[in-house]
C-alpha cells in the first residue's frame, strides 16, 4: 500500500483504515483499466458531496442567522462549486496522490478541475467513514471559513452590522415592521420598514421577510454613511 504520510500530515488526519483513503484517490480510469478489480472513488464522491452539503449548510445556518434561504444558497454555491473545490484540492496537493489510468494521466491537465473536485469530495467521504462526522467537519470547516473571508464582501449581513451600530447608543430602539405583501402566494414579495425610535430609516422589498429586512438594514446603513 502506498505511503500517504505526507498527505495525512497536510490534511491533519491519520486514517485507521488506509484502504478507504486508497479508494478515495482511485480514479475510475485506473480501476477499469485492464483487469483490475479495485474500486474507484465514484461512490465515495457521491457520499462526500452529501457530507459536504450538510457541513456547509450547518456552518452557514449558524454563521448567518439573519440571512434568508436565497442568500444562504448563493453563499453555499460559492463555497462548494467546482472552482472552489478545485482550489481546496490544490492546496493539499491532492493531484500528487491520485491513482490514474495511463490514458487518463495523459489527459490529466484537461480534466483536472473535475477530477480534483471529485477526489476532494471522495476524500471527505473517506474521512467521514473512517472517523465520523466530527472529523469530517474538522477537515472541511477551515476551507469554508477561509473562503468566506476571501469573499466576505459578497456575504454582508447588514442586519447584524446595523444592530451593532445602533446598540452603541442605549437610548436608541429599532424595529422591523412588515408593512405590505405584494403578489400571489406563489410569488409573494414582502415589504419591510426599519424604524429607529419612530423614524423610518430603511425600506426593503424581497421574496422573504428576512431578505426584506436585510435590504432595509442596507438602506439604513447607507443613510448613516456607513461604507458597505
Amino acid at each position: 500500500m502506498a505511503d500517504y504520510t505526507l498527505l495525512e500530515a497536510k490534511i491533519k488526519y491519520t486514517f485507521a483504515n488506509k484502504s478507504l483513503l486508497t479508494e478515495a484517490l482511485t480514479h475510475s480510469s485506473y480501476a477499469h483499466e485492464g483487469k483490475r478489480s479495485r474500486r474507484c472513488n465514484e461512490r465515495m464522491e457521491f457520499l462526500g458531496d452529501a457530507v459536504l452539503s450538510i457541513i456547509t449548510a450547518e456552518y452557514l445556518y449558524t454563521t448567518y442567522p439573519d440571512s434568508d434561504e436565497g442568500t444562504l444558497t448563493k453563499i453555499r454555491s460559492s463555497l462548494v462549486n467546482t472552482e472552489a473545490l478545485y482550489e481546496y484540492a490544490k492546496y493539499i496537493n491532492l493531484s500528487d496522490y491520485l491513482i490514474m489510468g495511463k490514458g487518463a494521466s495523459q489527459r490529466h491537465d484537461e480534466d483536472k478541475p473535475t477530477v480534483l473536485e471529485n477526489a476532494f469530495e471522495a476524500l471527505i467521504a473517506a474521512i467521514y467513514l473512517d472517523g465520523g462526522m466530527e472529523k469530517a467537519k474538522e477537515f472541511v470547516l477551515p476551507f469554508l471559513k477561509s473562503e468566506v473571508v476571501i469573499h466576505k464582501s459578497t456575504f454582508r449581513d447588514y442586519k447584524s452590522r446595523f444592530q451593532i451600530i445602533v446598540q452603541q447608543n442605549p437610548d436608541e430602539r429599532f424595529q422591523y415592521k412588515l408593512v405590505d405583501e405584494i403578489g400571489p402566494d406563489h410569488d409573494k414579495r414582502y415589504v419591510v420598514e426599519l424604524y429607529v425610535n419612530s423614524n423610518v430609516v430603511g425600506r426593503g422589498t424581497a421574496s422573504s421577510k428576512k431578505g426584506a429586512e436585510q435590504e432595509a438594514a442596507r438602506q439604513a446603513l447607507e443613510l448613516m454613511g456607513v461604507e458597505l
Side-chain angles (χ1 to χ4, degrees):
M1 187 170 289
D3 185 358
Y4 297 121
T5 303
L6 291 178
L7 177 58
E8 289 178 320
K10 188 73 174 179
I11 66 176
K12 298 180 181 178
Y13 181 77
T14 301
F15 280 83
N17 184 353
K18 304 293 185 185
S19 65
L20 290 172
L21 179 55
T22 299
E23 183 178 338
L25 298 173
T26 301
H27 189 257
S28 58
S29 62
Y30 183 88
H32 301 155
E33 193 172 67
K35 296 182 179 180
R36 295 190 180 98
S37 59
R38 177 183 290 185
R39 297 177 67 171
C40 70
N41 62 11
E42 290 177 347
R43 282 169 49 83
M44 280 194 170
E45 174 202 340
F46 167 79
L47 176 60
D49 178 70
V51 174
L52 176 61
S53 181
I54 292 172
I55 294 172
T56 306
E58 181 184 22
Y59 169 65
L60 294 178
Y61 182 83
T62 56
T63 303
Y64 298 98
D66 291 315
S67 294
D68 61 18
E69 179 187 5
T71 301
L72 294 178
T73 298
K74 290 178 182 178
I75 299 174
R76 180 174 62 185
S77 177
S78 297
L79 297 182
V80 298
N81 60 22
T82 296
E83 182 181 357
L85 296 181
Y86 173 51
E87 292 300 325
Y88 302 160
K90 284 202 303 181
Y91 178 77
I92 59 175
N93 301 320
L94 197 57
S95 61
D96 293 345
Y97 302 94
L98 292 182
I99 305 167
M100 309 279 291
K102 291 181 180 179
S105 296
Q106 294 171 359
R107 302 189 308 271
H108 191 98
D109 288 341
E110 180 182 27
D111 299 332
K112 201 169 186 178
T114 301
V115 169
L116 286 180
E117 172 195 9
N118 295 344
F120 188 83
E121 289 178 334
L123 178 58
I124 294 171
I127 294 173
Y128 169 75
L129 292 171
D130 193 68
M133 182 60 83
E134 287 306 311
K135 292 300 181 182
K137 284 183 182 179
E138 289 176 12
F139 171 62
V140 170
L141 284 177
F143 293 101
L144 301 183
K145 292 177 180 178
S146 176
E147 194 72 4
V148 164
V149 170
I150 293 171
H151 297 288
K152 64 182 178 181
S153 61
T154 307
F155 309 149
R156 298 292 191 186
D157 185 346
Y158 299 113
K159 286 183 63 178
S160 295
R161 294 181 68 189
F162 177 80
Q163 180 174 334
I164 290 171
I165 292 172
V166 172
Q167 287 182 339
Q168 292 175 359
N169 185 344
D171 295 329
E172 301 284 5
R173 295 289 183 269
F174 69 93
Q175 181 182 11
Y176 293 92
K177 291 183 179 180
L178 178 66
V179 296
D180 201 2
E181 297 182 18
I182 306 169
D185 289 342
H186 69 276
D187 189 26
K188 192 176 292 296
R189 307 283 290 177
Y190 298 89
V191 182
V192 169
E193 289 182 342
L194 172 55
Y195 288 77
V196 173
N197 298 326
S198 59
N199 301 312
V200 177
V201 296
R203 180 183 175 94
T205 303
S207 58
S208 70
K209 294 177 184 178
K210 286 189 176 182
E213 289 173 354
Q214 284 285 355
E215 175 58 21
R218 186 192 67 77
Q219 287 190 13
L221 289 170
E222 280 189 342
L223 182 67
M224 297 163 64
V226 176
E227 184 177 351
L228 302 179

